[in-house]
Amino acid sequence: MSGGVPKPAGIRRWLRGPRPAAVPLLVGRASTLVGLLDIAAGVFPGFRRSRMHALAEVLPGAFGPFAAALSLSAGVLLLLLAHGLKRRKRRAWRAAVALLPVGALAQLSYRHSLAGALISLALLAPLLRHRSQFAALPDPRSRWRALANFLLMSTGSLLLGLVIVSAHPHRVVGDPGLADRLTHVLYGLFGVEGPVGYRGGATSWTVAFSLGALGLLTAVTTVYLAFRPEHPAARLTGEDETRLRALLERHGARDSLGHFALRRDKAVVFSPSGKAAVTYRVVSGVMLASGDPIGDVEAWPGAIERFMEVARAHSWTPAVMGCSETGGEVWTRETGLDALELGDEAVVDVAGFSLSGRAMRNVRQMVNRIERAGYETRVRRVADLGAAELDRVRHAVDAWRGTDTERGFSMALGRIGDPADGECLIATAHLAETGPPGGQGRSPGGAGAGADADAYGDLKAVLHFVPWGRDGVSLDLMRRDRAADPGLNELLIVAALRAAPRLGIARVSLNFAMFRSALARGEKIGAGPVLRAWRGLLVFLSRWFQIESLYRFNAKFRPRWEPRFVVYRASADLPRIGIAALQAEGFLSLAPPLPRFLRRRRPPSRPCAHTVADHHEVRAA
């Protein structure tokens, strides 16, 4: 570490990363305001005759069919660019710089308005003067953004089109209903005249050009996003993985989440000395790290500084999920970020574990019942399993997954049975014999029964642990056949704890329990109304997220609780970080399903980063 000496305030503010400067924020807000006024000036004829006429008079493109369409287009585009300008994105700056002169030219061409041109140039002036502040690099992007843009723009165009069609009530011919107006909007987006008629050619042309402009904007922006060069998220390379494994070999005992840094959908930054690293994933503009930095604690500040530099260069929001108390202290001291307790990790010391005693009565009875039902357990290293059995375990784990997508990020490896992960631990439960249909635990029925169940033979449940230094393991995943007897997860955890001494394992990290202390204190006698209300909310949310159930499950094994923290820049960032974390963990997906022609072409999967021989060479180093 850096000797505990606080960094100067100026350096700490710089390391805080991508907090937008005053100019980008003001420019972004000004773009939003001008965009809304441009749209209003292009849509509502009464707006131009109201007291706001003086302001509308100087907006880009405010009169005439062409000017109305141009004003509408400029307003929509400025709204789309506003967020990018606030985040200091270089491409948004370039687009705004190109768009504003077009608005100024429209003022001179259509309205001969010098004041309108000056307003556009006035907004252009700070963009040019402070161009160095708009230097943020692009975010990772993929083809699904084109479909998202199409859906959002289409919805917005339909709603705005209905407003345009209905903005001239005194010039409408007849009394068209909502269906006729909607049909007119749909036709107009494709440049075709609809069933709604207007008195006066100017009004009809204004509506037609405005609808056509919305349709053209939707098409152009979608085509641009679909066929622009991709900027994929960074991935862990084979060289990165080799360096991380070497750091874990020397310093992996420090953090139970260290091995999860080897997820291959993460990116990594190393300290200048190469003795420490931070792995992360970018989700919705949040640069999300998990656990403590990997490597020598003395080199953590260098890796953290590189992490913050990358966040600043891309204008990403920095955040860390699930770091330890030591990690939180280093992060907050080196960067000036804040930390908030997120929950507790359950750690069981093997030497002190026993099923005897009243406190372990429920677990003991459950384990005995499952064993009497004919289940047996096997606890082995991944390297000790044969290829056929390992393949069967993989297929069973995938089939027993309760969701379409794999969940987990901060405490999940995302793979099982890789030759490079030979030191991982697998605990399996087996039921060798099956009895007549309806027998308890003997003939599984319902989901997973039949041919699918036969494909996995006597395998009924799997637990997978990753290494935690030389004498520990950390729980990665729990899967079981839904048709098998309940209690198999408890049985396998007990089996792993019993087998730990012969495998040289002294400590086992179980699940992470979010807000564990609030749940525990809120149910005690004397808890205040605020704490009880907070616990009630957590229990309510447990219907969708495993909050209380994971706490109850972990507590069965009488673990010691290790607090884990979230590190963040500002309180206003917490909702955004929370949504990004839910996306990373697989609980929330904002990406719509893509048609085949828009899907990202993925490179061939890399089953392992190294051969088994390479892995042993890394360990020997």
Side-chain angles (χ1 to χ4, degrees), residues 2 15 80 123 199 239 247 258 276 285 359 420-421 426 428 490 524:
S2 54
L15 283 176
L80 294 176
L123 184 56
R199 300 183 184 90
E239 180 183 357
L247 292 176
D421 299 322
I426 286 186
T428 54
E490 289 86 342
K524 291 183 177 180

Side-chain angles (χ1 to χ4, degrees), residues 437-456:
Q440 182 180 10
R442 299 291 182 174
S443 180
D452 291 339
D454 294 339
Y456 315 121

Side-chain angles (χ1 to χ4, degrees), residues 533-552:
W534 175 224
R535 180 184 178 277
L537 176 61
L538 293 176
V539 172
F540 174 76
L541 294 176
S542 296
R543 299 180 181 181
W544 297 276
F545 306 104
Q546 294 180 339
I547 299 176
E548 185 185 27
S549 59
L550 279 180
Y551 161 59
R552 299 292 184 191

Side-chain angles (χ1 to χ4, degrees), residues 290-608:
S290 61
D292 292 343
I294 306 300
D296 189 352
V297 178
E298 297 291 335
W300 282 8
I304 290 173
E305 184 171 342
R306 291 287 300 275
F307 176 89
M308 299 302 291
E309 287 175 352
V310 173
R312 187 171 184 270
H314 291 83
S315 192
W316 290 332
T317 300
V320 185
M321 298 294 297
C323 66
S324 68
E325 188 170 1
T326 299
E329 289 176 353
V330 177
W331 274 100
T332 54
R333 188 190 67 236
E334 297 297 325
T335 64
L337 300 177
D338 294 319
L340 180 68
E341 185 172 336
L342 186 61
D344 295 89
E345 174 189 9
V347 179
V348 179
D349 294 314
V350 174
F353 177 77
S354 173
L355 284 180
S356 61
R358 184 175 181 83
M360 298 298 294
R361 179 182 177 183
N362 291 335
V363 177
R364 182 173 63 250
Q365 290 178 345
M366 181 174 292
V367 169
N368 291 336
R369 179 179 60 80
I370 294 296
E371 288 178 338
R372 287 195 303 268
Y375 289 92
E376 64 177 28
T377 60
R378 303 168 193 169
V379 182
R380 295 158 288 174
R381 299 284 185 182
V382 167
D384 297 331
L385 273 70
E389 184 177 6
L390 197 55
D391 188 62
R392 182 159 57 102
V393 168
R394 287 197 200 98
H395 284 85
V397 164
D398 290 339
W400 295 338
R401 186 175 61 215
T403 59
D404 293 334
T405 58
E406 187 74 52
R407 286 182 175 175
F409 167 70
S410 57
M411 295 186 70
L413 187 60
R415 61 181 183 269
I416 187 171
D418 194 298
D421 299 322
E423 292 300 307
C424 291
L425 201 67
I426 286 186
T428 54
H430 304 263
L431 182 61
E433 298 180 358
T434 58
Q440 182 180 10
R442 299 291 182 174
S443 180
D452 291 339
D454 294 339
Y456 315 121
D458 62 348
L459 183 65
K460 299 302 176 185
V462 176
L463 262 63
H464 186 254
F465 299 84
V466 300
W468 174 13
R470 296 181 182 273
D471 64 348
V473 291
S474 184
L475 181 61
D476 175 25
L477 62 82
M478 297 188 298
R479 298 282 166 79
R480 71 177 183 89
D481 186 347
R482 299 295 182 88
D485 291 77
L488 287 179
N489 289 331
E490 289 86 342
L491 173 67
L492 286 179
I493 288 179
V494 171
L497 291 169
R498 286 172 171 173
R502 69 175 173 82
L503 295 171
I505 296 171
R507 51 189 180 165
V508 177
S509 171
L510 300 179
N511 293 298
F512 170 73
M514 290 185 63
F515 309 114
R516 196 273 318 175
S517 59
L519 290 169
R521 292 198 302 266
E523 63 183 355
K524 291 183 177 180
I525 297 177
V530 176
L531 189 56
R532 287 183 179 275
W534 175 224
R535 180 184 178 277
L537 176 61
L538 293 176
V539 172
F540 174 76
L541 294 176
S542 296
R543 299 180 181 181
W544 297 276
F545 306 104
Q546 294 180 339
I547 299 176
E548 185 185 27
S549 59
L550 279 180
Y551 161 59
R552 299 292 184 191
F553 181 86
N554 292 335
K556 293 178 182 179
F557 304 97
R558 316 301 293 178
R560 57 182 168 88
W561 299 100
E562 298 289 343
R564 291 280 173 172
F565 299 83
V566 56
V567 177
Y568 60 99
R569 184 181 59 189
S571 298
D573 293 333
L574 285 175
R576 186 178 182 187
I577 292 171
I579 293 175
L582 289 176
Q583 290 179 259
E585 296 288 351
F587 289 99
L588 178 65
S589 178
L590 302 181
L594 282 177
R596 185 178 299 273
F597 76 96
L598 288 179
R599 292 177 186 172
R600 178 192 300 177
R601 293 184 178 180
R602 296 186 178 182
S605 60
R606 177 167 53 96
C608 60

Side-chain angles (χ1 to χ4, degrees), residues 208-224:
F209 275 91
S210 298
L211 294 177
L214 288 175
L216 183 62
L217 280 179
T218 302
V220 169
T221 54
T222 301
V223 170
Y224 168 73

Side-chain angles (χ1 to χ4, degrees), residues 12-31:
R12 292 179 61 178
R13 283 195 298 269
W14 179 82
L15 283 176
R16 277 179 178 263
R19 184 183 295 277
V23 172
L25 276 176
L26 291 176
V27 169
R29 291 169 181 171
S31 297

